[in-house]
Amino acid sequence: MQPPSSLRATLAHSGRATEIMVKHLIIWVAQAVVLLSMAGLFETIEVKAFADAMIVIVVVAAIGTLVMPTLIRYAVRLKPILFPIITFLLYAWALLILDQMLTGWRISNWWVAGLTAAVLTTVASFLGSFLSLSDDAAWQRYALGPMRARYFGNGVTHTCEPGYVFLEIDGLSEPVLRNAIAAGYAPTMAKMLLHGTHRLTPWECDL
């Protein structure tokens, strides 16, 4: 006996959240290893233990998580070259702040902190692309976000009257979509169908 589709969707969502967390952990560990390697190569960087390196990486990641959404929101107003520079400065500042807070972490100056931030960002970007991390978040940020801002800012009239949304996905048949929803690959659609706000109806378009 199989669990209900809503339960399968919840379990699948939980599985994806765990997968994303594991991918983040892989990136953090890799960055910590790189940080330890840089400490071995440069006298201007000192890391006493792997745990100290992990603390630095996690704290910098947390600062980025808190600040980056606001930075990205205003990035469209900046020249493209300024965005990575501001990002590196933010991470360099975080590394220097941690120098004052952690006994197992030392970094000498802004230039070294900037270089370290650039290296760590490069590692995160490479591994993030390799692991296909945050694809949904990137879509929300770079595609849906500007669309919402554009449409909602142009005096769009909102109404409670029902309407139609036509979405064409080439090669996607109704049985395949239903199987995907049941397997938990389309949790938003599963919620729509579960709450009764939407219906999934076959349509032969005769193309």
Side-chain angles (χ1 to χ4, degrees):
M1 181 178 180
Q2 292 186 344
S5 59
S6 59
L7 177 58
R8 290 199 299 270
T10 302
L11 294 175
H13 177 73
S14 176
R16 284 192 294 273
T18 302
E19 178 185 357
I20 291 175
M21 190 61 211
V22 170
K23 289 179 178 180
H24 276 296
L25 184 60
I26 292 173
I27 292 176
W28 293 343
V29 170
Q31 287 180 309
V33 171
V34 170
L35 200 58
L36 285 171
S37 301
M38 294 182 68
L41 294 174
F42 302 102
E43 296 180 354
T44 51
I45 302 175
E46 179 183 346
V47 185
K48 290 186 177 180
F50 180 78
D52 295 312
M54 281 297 297
I55 292 174
V56 170
I57 296 302
V58 172
V59 172
V60 170
I63 293 175
T65 300
L66 294 174
V67 178
M68 288 302 290
T70 302
L71 184 60
I72 291 173
R73 187 178 301 118
Y74 292 99
V76 293
R77 304 178 183 179
L78 304 175
K79 293 184 178 180
I81 190 60
L82 293 179
F83 183 68
I85 294 176
I86 294 175
T87 303
F88 293 152
L89 289 176
L90 171 65
Y91 288 147
W93 171 80
L95 293 173
L96 289 171
I97 289 296
L98 289 173
D99 176 83
Q100 306 297 322
M101 300 174 61
L102 295 177
T103 58
W105 164 251
R106 289 290 178 268
I107 194 164
S108 61
N109 54 56
W110 268 99
W111 292 107
V112 179
L115 174 62
T116 305
V119 172
L120 295 178
T121 302
T122 301
V123 172
S125 299
F126 174 77
L127 289 179
S129 300
F130 180 76
L131 297 173
S132 298
L133 193 61
S134 298
D135 287 346
D136 291 341
W139 169 254
Q140 290 280 344
R141 184 182 304 122
Y142 297 114
L144 294 185
M147 288 174 62
R148 291 193 186 102
R150 183 168 64 251
Y151 289 126
F152 292 164
N154 290 336
V156 176
T157 301
H158 299 276
T159 177
C160 295
E161 296 181 3
Y164 293 94
V165 175
F166 292 92
L167 175 64
E168 177 187 358
I169 304 177
D170 291 339
L172 178 61
S173 63
E174 182 213 355
V176 172
L177 179 57
R178 288 190 181 276
N179 290 336
I181 293 174
Y185 292 109
T188 300
M189 291 185 181
K191 291 178 181 178
M192 292 176 177
L193 297 176
L194 179 65
H195 295 159
T197 57
H198 295 72
R199 291 181 297 172
L200 180 58
T201 304
W203 178 33
E204 180 59 53
C205 56
D206 294 326
L207 292 180

